[in-house]
Amino acid sequence: MPGWGQLLCRAGGRLLAGVPGGPVQGAGAAAAVAATGNRGPWCSIVRHINSTTWWDEHLSEENTQFLKQVTAEEYRAQTASKLCPLKDEPWPLHSWEPGSRRVGLVAIKLGMIPLWTKNGERHAVTLLQVKDCHVLKYTPKEEYNGKTATLIVGGKHSSPFYKPESALEVFREAGVPPKQKTTIFKVSDNAIIKPGTPLYAAHFRPGQFVDVTAKTIGKGFQGVMKRWGFKGQPASHGQTKTHRRPGAISNTNAGKVFRGTKMPGKMGNVYRTAFGLKVWRINTKNNIIYVNGSVPGHKNCLVKVRDTNLPTYRDCNKNPPFPTFFADGEEELPEDLYDQEVFQFTDPSVTYV
Amino acid sequence: MAAACGRLLEQAGVRALARASAARPAARCRCFSSSGLLRANNGEPTKFQPPPKPVVVDKHKEVAERRFLSPEFIPPRGRTNPLKFYIERTDMIQRRKVLNIPEFYVGSILSVTTADPYASDKTSRFVGICIQRGGKGLGATFVLRNIIEGQGVEFCYELYNPRIREIKVLKLEKRLDDNLMYLRDALPEYSTFDVNMKPVPHSANDEIPVNQLKVKMKPRPWTKRWERPKFNIQGIHFELPKEMMEEAQKWSMPWIQFDMLREYNTSKLEKEIWKEVNEELKK
């Protein structure tokens, strides 16, 4: 819809504004005729005075190309400059204590794959790719809520031209290209990280458990059977025009409909979390996390990954890379990190003794 | 003592004679055999070495090398990131380096041995005709069908499951269809295969034989209406009356062949993937 509006606006705008070197002579003549003759305001309906402008509406083609090039180069330089956070006066690093919370990541859901364990059991895993993940801002606990400090983390790079200036300020302060998704992670005081530090998939290790939050696939306006799983009514045996309706919504004694009664409405496109997902494997070369089971969201959507809060898995997340994994540190990781039970395809076939 | 010495001398003499006699045939053989091994043995008796077999290098056949890319390597249409397919492919190639997954088609007869924790010798072997190949990527499967002691049995195996020990092609051939699910409704003789059958030899560069067999069916009703054009089955010998066959054509959708949105040209993708897979496998 915005695309159509923009096209019409472009056509209308070019005709009305009379951009030099823009409209064809015929169109200019038509505009002139419309202005002078009594054809009525057929151009002006397309564009209202209160509609917003887009970034290259009043720019020439050369200038738009130049801006695109310049921003791309600038952002490439910025990402390159942030590759060595440990040499860039990092904030003091502390060691992990039980009860401390560390940052999470923003990842892209790539898809699902089967994975086999050494016993021959098959599990379905989701691939999450960590692409251009940087820490953007630190809010001390006094400013946030008085109890916990927070770190804002951003995901995939995106174009700066369609973002509000307030958002662009945050990115400029951190010295990082603009991101598609920003999330807030509540963090304990010993796990704060300097804004601009890149985060990698090796922040998580195989064998630990993770919560993944994302917006579910939007299904639009849906009826009560799909949205809430109601049984509906029979297809035949005298049902008059009632096959997928909710039936009764309250009783006589109440005399009213209670708030929160299940009814048709917009389904999906809501943030939901999948708790306690095991990390089976980490690919450090492409920054991919293999997470057990399914994750909300469609393919290539951005998800928020963090260490579990579930009490059952509190003991499994001991001694993680704290506050995060630094790529320019001394630790040299192999290309693939596997959990103990995962069958690696370089091994010979599974045999039972 | 003298007698003993005499005997020793005699024995020595015999030994010398033996050595001489060995040397003489060796000397005689030297003229006839071309191998240098006899000279290296210092006159000891050597076994007859037949001349090496001539290696026939058929250059014509090498040129027409068949490019077979297993169908599960070709990614389906969609908005998935190609990186995901690349990662799956690296895993698949790793597995293929450990286990040889041969080229086979729907209609070939395979024997599969898997590791089974509940069997007495921890392995289980199944022989059957491949009736379907489904799935893409690591989850690719194939279904084998056979009739054992009068009972039809189908096994759906995953190609990349680590429990599979061996996949052997006993008979490599194609059929007239890509999907032989109709064998469930065909007479049992068409799905019975000997569990101990000998593998039929097939040279690497020959064309794959297409079995033009038309299968006879059990009386109707069948599990699916195989006469309908949506299944497009060539491999059934329909003995149905003409009216039924014409009535089945009512469900034909002749416009589908012109539907451009259903076209999926995989030729370029196939070439790139084949090149990549082959290079990785050779490493």
Side-chain angles (χ1 to χ4, degrees):
Chain A
M1 309 324 158
W4 268 116
Q6 277 191 5
L7 277 172
L8 287 169
C9 288
R10 251 179 240 266
R14 291 262 148 85
L15 282 170
L16 280 175
V19 171
V24 181
Q25 273 183 0
V33 164
T36 51
N38 295 327
R39 304 299 162 96
W42 65 273
C43 282
S44 55
I45 307 165
V46 169
R47 184 76 185 276
H48 190 263
I49 203 163
N50 287 340
S51 65
T52 48
T53 175
W54 57 95
W55 73 282
D56 59 345
E57 185 185 6
H58 300 289
L59 294 177
S60 66
E61 297 239 355
E62 270 184 25
N63 287 344
T64 42
Q65 292 296 322
F66 174 71
L67 268 180
K68 281 187 190 173
Q69 262 177 22
V70 156
T71 42
E73 279 165 17
E74 187 192 327
Y75 294 145
R76 246 175 271 147
Q78 276 181 335
T79 10
S81 70
K82 296 287 173 188
L83 285 176
C84 304
L86 283 177
K87 293 169 190 160
D88 236 356
E89 297 163 0
W91 289 357
L93 307 171
H94 306 275
S95 60
W96 181 82
E97 280 152 35
S100 45
R101 275 157 145 202
R102 51 176 197 150
V103 208
L105 302 173
V106 175
I108 304 171
K109 173 179 170 179
L110 290 182
M112 294 183 76
I113 249 183
L115 180 126
W116 286 273
T117 57
K118 291 189 172 146
N119 295 336
E121 286 163 3
R122 182 188 196 259
H123 297 268
V125 291
T126 318
L127 305 187
L128 302 175
Q129 184 194 16
V130 178
K131 202 174 170 189
D132 313 321
C133 193
H134 287 92
V135 174
L136 297 176
K137 192 174 169 184
Y138 163 64
T139 324
K141 62 181 181 199
E142 294 80 33
E143 284 174 34
Y144 186 69
N145 65 354
K147 290 180 198 167
T148 17
T150 58
L151 283 176
I152 302 186
V153 171
K156 207 164 121 176
H157 290 332
S158 77
S159 154
F161 302 117
Y162 300 98
K163 292 217 153 41
E165 192 53 43
S166 52
L168 290 181
E169 266 177 26
V170 173
F171 297 120
R172 226 173 281 140
E173 234 181 305
V176 139
K179 308 285 190 184
Q180 196 172 319
K181 180 179 167 89
T182 52
T183 45
I184 302 179
F185 288 98
K186 288 208 198 82
V187 142
S188 54
D189 283 322
N190 55 353
I192 53 178
I193 307 174
K194 183 178 176 186
T197 332
L199 300 172
Y200 300 99
H203 178 83
F204 294 112
R205 291 299 156 94
Q208 77 167 105
F209 289 80
V210 133
D211 292 341
V212 179
T213 313
K215 264 197 176 170
T216 47
I217 296 178
K219 314 262 177 188
F221 196 101
Q222 288 299 335
V224 111
M225 276 177 85
K226 193 181 189 73
R227 195 175 183 217
W228 299 113
F230 284 15
K231 278 183 78 179
Q233 289 83 28
S236 66
H237 290 300
Q239 311 294 318
T240 30
K241 309 198 294 185
T242 315
H243 305 289
R244 298 183 68 91
R245 299 183 75 193
I249 50 177
S250 191
N251 52 20
T252 326
N253 292 336
K256 65 170 188 173
V257 177
F258 295 111
R259 190 191 311 272
T261 311
K262 295 179 180 179
M263 287 189 174
K266 291 264 163 65
M267 181 183 169
N269 201 25
V270 201
Y271 282 106
R272 287 285 184 260
T273 312
F275 293 98
L277 304 178
K278 182 169 176 176
V279 171
W280 286 110
R281 176 178 164 182
I282 305 258
N283 183 320
T284 39
K285 189 175 155 203
N286 299 85
N287 273 325
I288 295 181
I289 310 173
Y290 289 58
V291 141
N292 190 35
S294 58
V295 139
H298 54 83
K299 280 200 258 252
N300 302 322
C301 79
L302 289 165
V303 309
K304 170 182 177 176
V305 193
R306 60 149 212 263
D307 296 324
T308 327
N309 288 337
L310 291 179
T312 8
Y313 301 123
R314 213 176 278 152
D315 298 327
C316 296
N317 295 356
K318 286 196 166 158
N319 285 324
F322 202 81
T324 185
F325 169 75
F326 292 104
D328 57 334
E330 293 114 20
E331 213 185 337
E332 281 264 350
L333 288 179
E335 192 189 322
D336 271 297
L337 292 165
Y338 295 90
D339 184 48
Q340 276 175 1
E341 293 167 14
V342 167
F343 169 79
Q344 303 179 29
F345 287 106
T346 38
D347 297 340
S349 305
V350 161
T351 40
Y352 297 102
V353 173
Chain B
M1 238 265 314
C5 291
R7 251 175 264 143
L8 278 168
L9 281 165
E10 273 176 274
Q11 280 171 12
V14 164
R15 262 184 240 140
L17 271 172
R19 257 182 252 140
S21 60
R24 260 179 249 145
R28 267 180 244 150
C29 290
R30 225 179 270 166
C31 317
F32 294 111
S33 76
S34 53
S35 62
L37 287 168
L38 287 171
R39 285 176 213 143
N41 276 347
N42 296 323
E44 279 171 20
T46 50
K47 224 175 147 184
F48 171 67
Q49 297 274 350
K53 267 190 190 167
V55 176
V56 178
V57 176
D58 216 347
K59 286 194 182 151
H60 293 287
K61 280 196 178 168
E62 265 185 34
V63 167
E65 193 194 295
R66 195 171 56 241
R67 299 175 143 214
F68 173 72
L69 182 66
S70 212
E72 72 268 6
F73 279 104
I74 301 161
R77 264 196 308 185
R79 293 160 74 173
T80 337
N81 197 341
L83 175 68
K84 185 238 180 189
F85 296 128
Y86 174 72
I87 283 165
E88 251 186 320
R89 244 177 283 140
T90 36
D91 277 340
M92 284 151 80
I93 292 167
Q94 270 302 317
R95 176 71 184 152
R96 275 178 183 252
K97 285 186 185 171
V98 173
L99 169 75
N100 171 41
I101 298 174
E103 169 192 357
F104 68 96
Y105 304 88
V106 167
S108 328
I109 302 171
L110 308 185
S111 117
V112 175
T113 16
T114 44
D116 190 352
Y118 308 113
S120 48
D121 57 342
K122 307 294 176 194
T123 52
S124 81
R125 180 173 178 263
F126 187 73
V127 171
I129 183 172
C130 175
I131 56 174
Q132 179 181 274
R133 278 190 84 158
K136 298 285 179 195
L138 279 173
T141 54
F142 62 101
V143 180
L144 293 185
R145 179 182 167 81
N146 203 344
I147 297 190
I148 294 174
E149 293 177 20
Q151 174 64 51
V153 177
E154 283 180 17
F155 255 102
C156 178
Y157 289 107
E158 291 167 317
L159 275 171
Y160 296 97
N161 195 330
R163 282 166 64 177
I164 294 187
R165 301 270 222 86
E166 189 203 21
I167 304 178
K168 208 160 132 183
V169 176
L170 299 175
K171 188 172 187 192
L172 180 67
E173 65 174 8
K174 276 190 190 175
R175 291 281 202 116
L176 292 168
D177 304 302
D178 262 341
N179 199 312
L180 299 176
M181 283 292 175
Y182 56 81
L183 289 180
R184 292 170 180 170
D185 296 317
L187 296 171
E189 65 203 40
Y190 296 101
S191 310
T192 11
F193 299 96
D194 181 21
V195 180
N196 303 314
M197 76 188 267
K198 302 284 177 192
V200 168
H202 181 263
S203 92
N205 292 323
D206 273 346
E207 288 230 0
I208 316 124
V210 180
N211 193 344
Q212 308 278 339
L213 176 65
K214 292 224 170 195
V215 136
K216 295 218 169 82
M217 305 292 273
K218 291 196 259 200
R220 291 175 94 225
W222 299 326
T223 49
K224 301 261 167 179
R225 295 171 205 254
W226 302 113
E227 72 275 7
R228 293 221 175 148
K230 121 176 185 198
F231 297 107
N232 192 19
I233 291 186
Q234 312 295 323
I236 296 183
H237 178 71
F238 289 109
E239 284 159 345
L240 298 171
K242 237 187 176 180
E243 298 89 44
M244 263 197 198
M245 298 301 291
E246 277 162 15
E247 215 210 309
Q249 290 304 314
K250 273 206 290 187
W251 280 269
S252 70
M253 292 186 278
W255 56 85
I256 280 190
Q257 52 172 305
F258 305 111
D259 193 344
M260 292 174 77
L261 283 182
R262 278 175 209 252
E263 286 170 9
Y264 183 34
N265 193 351
T266 51
S267 48
K268 275 189 194 165
L269 250 182
E270 251 191 74
K271 277 189 192 154
E272 286 169 18
I273 295 174
W274 193 83
K275 219 166 99 179
E276 186 194 318
V277 165
N278 261 40
E279 276 170 20
E280 286 290 319
L281 277 174
K282 279 175 193 164
K283 279 186 194 172

